[in-house]
Amino acid sequence: MSHLKESDITPQEWFLNRRQLLRTIGAAGLLSTPLNAFADSSLRFQPNPQYRPDLKLTDAEHALHYNNFYELGTDKSDPYRNADRLITDNWQVRIEGECAKPQTFDMDDLLAIEQEERIYRFRCVEGWSMVVPWIGFPLSKLLNKVEPTSKAKYVEFISILDRKNLPGQRFNILDWPYREGLRIDEAMHPLTLMATGLYGEALQNQSGAPLRLIVPWKYGFKSSKSIVTIRLVEKQPISSWMQATPSEYGFYSNVNPQVPHRRWSQAKERPLGSFFKKKTLMFNGYADEVASLYSGMDLRRYF
Amino acid sequence: MPLAAKLFIFSLVCALPGIDLGWKLLQDNLGANPVETLEHTTGDWTIYFLLLTLSISPVQQLFVPKWPIPMHLIRRILGLSAFVYALLHLAVYFIFDMGLDIDAAVEDIATRPFIMIGMTALTLLIPLAITSTQGWQKRLKRRWQQLHKLIYPITFLGILHYALLVKADLFMPLLYLLLFGILMLLRQFKLPRLR
């Protein structure tokens, strides 16, 4: 299986080459020019060296063709195949609820926030994982703009509802639109990212364009795709998966190798592109940063 | 064409999905999650072959009076194909999911109903595979018929195994269940010959 290794290394080289290119551009002073110096579609971002774990990146080919995005179909290959069914023109995000300044943002507003690239581990509840370079900004930067009140204890994320165009929404596989939630301290945590890009480019539709959440210490389904509404609320929201199968999906959904899913163990994970499994890390490897959020909580009960 | 040649060709056709999978494995062309592809594809073909096995009798009654290969031989090869794909399915599970760890596999089987159900279905297939030959058929006589009726609960358990695994979208397992139901229902009637 030596040829597998070769294909595994290629994307990293590709990635490093791109970074080299960025450095060159940076050296030429181009990165300090204003936003409109580049075409509209290009993302301006800086790699954040703080979030660059010494890990091999997942082949972009895998990460962009193997997706869970039930709005575009339940098969892993459906989201890429049906990607053009998701219409992202003139996207707006409404932030409302328990805050002083509820507002509607369009993508230009969001892309005006400084964009950074962070390499994160990503662990799916199904037992596969990847290591991917997201581009985006901490969610806290956005939430602070609307000034949450003291009543804002939780944050609810609501994804796109477009039954006419999205093939997966023609059936009530889940209760559409897709809803997820975080506790406010989880939402404000520096690791919690609003992603606008992936592998150096704007998010592709199958990855949850134009705007998705990334909560790297939780199972992937917590990281809502194609978000249209963010609601600050007082009570713990009920996510679509909790509603569908309450015995299997809790509110917290922290990556935890010690707490199995009801139908499979979570002790190990299979990195995309690999045949064999490796051990899953507590909080997906982010325990140092986030374990304190859950001190004193019984994580078997609050799974 | 001699019967043996026909049987060989028919067996080869049944082996094609497996050959295709093996070829893709060698080419490293099984997608982002190669083990899942192996597991799902072998599982799917197990169910397809079980349903095909069950459809021989009603189809025989409805349509074709004469087959190029005797019906019972077609059914035997289809049934054995289901067994072989089920074994491959188990092998993929044991090698790649359980990492060849017997203790882990035993624990997994004991704690997860859908794995237990799948294992039960596969275990029940073993005596059918062993006694699939003409020799056994003669030796067991009426008992053979009774024994091989196990194919009904086996198919049901196989579909149940799949249904219990699915996260949310039950379309495919329900479709299989519907086909299974139709095939079982057809056995309750004396079917007219359509041609």
Side-chain angles (χ1 to χ4, degrees):
Chain A
M1 269 183 233
S2 61
H3 60 291
L4 279 178
K5 276 190 183 132
E6 199 174 293
S7 71
D8 280 340
I9 291 164
T10 313
Q12 189 172 22
E13 279 171 4
W14 171 83
F15 181 69
L16 293 173
N17 283 341
R18 192 191 54 73
R19 186 159 280 160
Q20 183 61 45
L21 183 72
L22 277 175
R23 257 197 293 266
T24 316
I25 295 170
L30 283 174
L31 278 183
S32 53
T33 55
L35 238 136
N36 56 13
F38 289 82
D40 288 346
S41 59
S42 76
L43 267 182
R44 298 277 322 275
F45 64 91
Q46 293 273 13
N48 185 334
Q50 213 186 318
Y51 303 101
R52 267 171 58 189
D54 189 21
L55 293 169
K56 192 172 62 184
L57 274 190
T58 299
D59 193 332
E61 196 60 20
H62 291 335
L64 296 174
H65 292 85
Y66 184 87
N67 308 100
N68 274 327
F69 194 3
Y70 278 17
E71 284 85 339
L72 293 173
T74 55
D75 199 88
K76 294 288 186 295
S77 58
D78 288 342
Y80 173 74
R81 201 163 45 80
N82 296 327
D84 61 342
R85 306 293 295 273
L86 172 66
I87 295 157
T88 59
D89 299 344
N90 306 314
W91 196 270
Q92 291 189 322
V93 184
R94 173 83 187 153
I95 307 189
E96 58 189 30
E98 306 291 350
C99 58
K101 292 179 179 168
Q103 285 172 66
T104 302
F105 298 87
D106 59 30
M107 283 311 289
D108 283 345
D109 299 328
L110 300 176
L111 292 173
I113 303 172
E114 190 191 345
Q115 310 285 307
E116 53 182 275
E117 183 183 64
R118 298 178 175 191
I119 297 171
Y120 277 170
R121 297 180 194 88
F122 185 97
R123 169 66 153 78
C124 178
V125 70
E126 295 164 351
W128 53 269
S129 66
M130 49 185 184
V131 177
V132 277
W134 301 107
I135 298 159
F137 54 88
L139 174 62
S140 61
K141 283 193 184 177
L142 182 57
L143 292 183
N144 284 334
K145 285 182 194 285
V146 300
E147 296 175 15
T149 68
S150 59
K151 277 179 150 182
K153 302 272 200 299
Y154 293 91
V155 187
E156 185 176 23
F157 302 88
I158 300 165
S159 294
I160 183 173
L161 179 68
D162 183 0
R163 287 186 188 272
K164 203 176 81 166
N165 290 305
L166 296 173
Q169 290 187 339
R170 267 181 261 143
F171 309 98
N172 287 323
I173 307 157
L174 290 170
D175 183 33
W176 308 115
Y178 192 85
R179 285 160 287 113
E180 256 306 340
L182 293 174
R183 220 167 54 188
I184 188 79
D185 56 344
E186 297 176 324
M188 295 302 247
H189 193 278
L191 279 172
T192 305
L193 199 72
M194 282 312 267
T196 55
L198 180 60
Y199 288 101
E201 299 190 13
L203 276 183
Q204 297 197 20
N205 286 358
Q206 70 272 22
S207 308
L211 186 75
R212 70 171 297 176
L213 185 68
I214 292 297
V215 196
W217 71 94
K218 291 176 181 281
Y219 293 118
F221 64 88
K222 292 300 278 186
S223 297
S224 294
K225 291 174 160 173
S226 304
I227 295 169
V228 292
T229 308
I230 298 175
R231 205 171 277 155
L232 295 146
V233 292
E234 200 171 357
K235 291 213 172 84
Q236 183 176 294
I238 294 171
S239 73
S240 295
W241 279 110
M242 288 164 76
Q243 189 176 12
T245 328
S247 61
E248 297 187 356
Y249 301 98
F251 177 77
Y252 286 93
S253 304
N254 291 314
V255 174
N256 188 340
Q258 284 140 38
V259 178
H261 182 275
R262 230 184 63 182
R263 287 178 287 163
W264 53 83
S265 162
Q266 294 291 24
K268 291 178 181 178
E269 66 198 44
R270 180 177 291 118
L272 287 188
S274 138
F275 275 81
F276 290 96
K277 291 181 168 180
K278 65 179 183 107
K279 283 205 165 113
T280 286
L281 301 169
M282 188 63 200
F283 295 114
N284 202 25
Y286 300 96
D288 289 348
E289 289 95 329
V290 301
S292 60
L293 293 174
Y294 311 101
S295 56
M297 275 174 72
D298 176 1
L299 294 178
R300 273 176 199 281
R301 189 170 162 218
Y302 298 99
F303 61 90
Chain B
M1 198 191 288
L3 182 62
K6 286 184 193 169
L7 287 176
F8 177 76
I9 290 169
F10 185 60
S11 306
L12 200 66
V13 169
C14 293
L16 278 179
I19 292 167
D20 175 60
L21 212 51
W23 179 249
K24 284 180 177 153
L25 177 65
L26 290 174
Q27 303 284 307
D28 188 18
N29 188 24
L30 288 169
N33 198 337
V35 174
E36 184 186 72
T37 307
L38 290 171
E39 218 160 40
H40 287 183
T41 311
T42 51
D44 283 345
W45 280 102
T46 305
I47 291 180
Y48 300 156
F49 277 109
L50 286 169
L51 290 173
L52 280 171
T53 309
L54 286 182
S55 62
I56 292 295
S57 295
V59 168
Q60 165 87 350
Q61 284 190 47
L62 281 169
F63 299 107
V64 193
K66 269 228 157 189
W67 299 67
I69 303 172
M71 181 191 80
H72 71 278
L73 293 180
I74 291 181
R75 192 162 48 195
R76 183 189 299 170
I77 291 172
L78 290 175
L80 283 172
S81 298
F83 179 64
V84 171
Y85 283 101
L87 280 183
L88 289 172
H89 186 64
L90 174 74
V92 173
Y93 162 81
F94 184 59
I95 297 169
F96 296 113
D97 269 343
M98 294 297 115
L100 293 167
D101 183 342
I102 293 175
D103 292 342
V106 168
E107 199 205 319
D108 203 41
I109 293 162
T111 50
R112 304 190 207 289
F114 86 96
I115 306 262
M116 174 117 59
I117 287 167
M119 280 302 296
T120 307
L122 177 52
T123 310
L124 291 176
L125 265 176
I126 296 171
L128 302 203
I130 292 171
T131 62
S132 65
T133 60
Q134 225 119 23
W136 274 102
Q137 200 163 354
K138 282 192 187 118
R139 227 170 300 164
L140 292 172
K141 300 198 181 83
R142 261 191 65 244
R143 293 272 157 154
W144 191 91
Q145 290 278 354
Q146 290 170 336
L147 178 66
H148 280 249
K149 282 194 172 151
L150 274 177
I151 197 73
Y152 307 140
I154 288 167
T155 307
F156 177 74
L157 290 175
I159 295 169
L160 188 64
H161 165 72
Y162 179 33
L164 290 175
L165 160 78
V166 168
K167 262 203 319 184
D169 186 1
L170 281 167
F171 182 80
M172 288 313 284
L174 288 179
L175 179 68
Y176 297 154
L177 200 62
L178 178 72
L179 287 172
F180 175 71
I182 291 171
L183 291 171
M184 292 306 286
L185 206 62
L186 288 177
R187 287 171 158 70
Q188 307 305 312
F189 304 104
K190 179 141 178 57
L191 300 174
R193 180 143 296 179
L194 297 180
R195 190 170 69 91

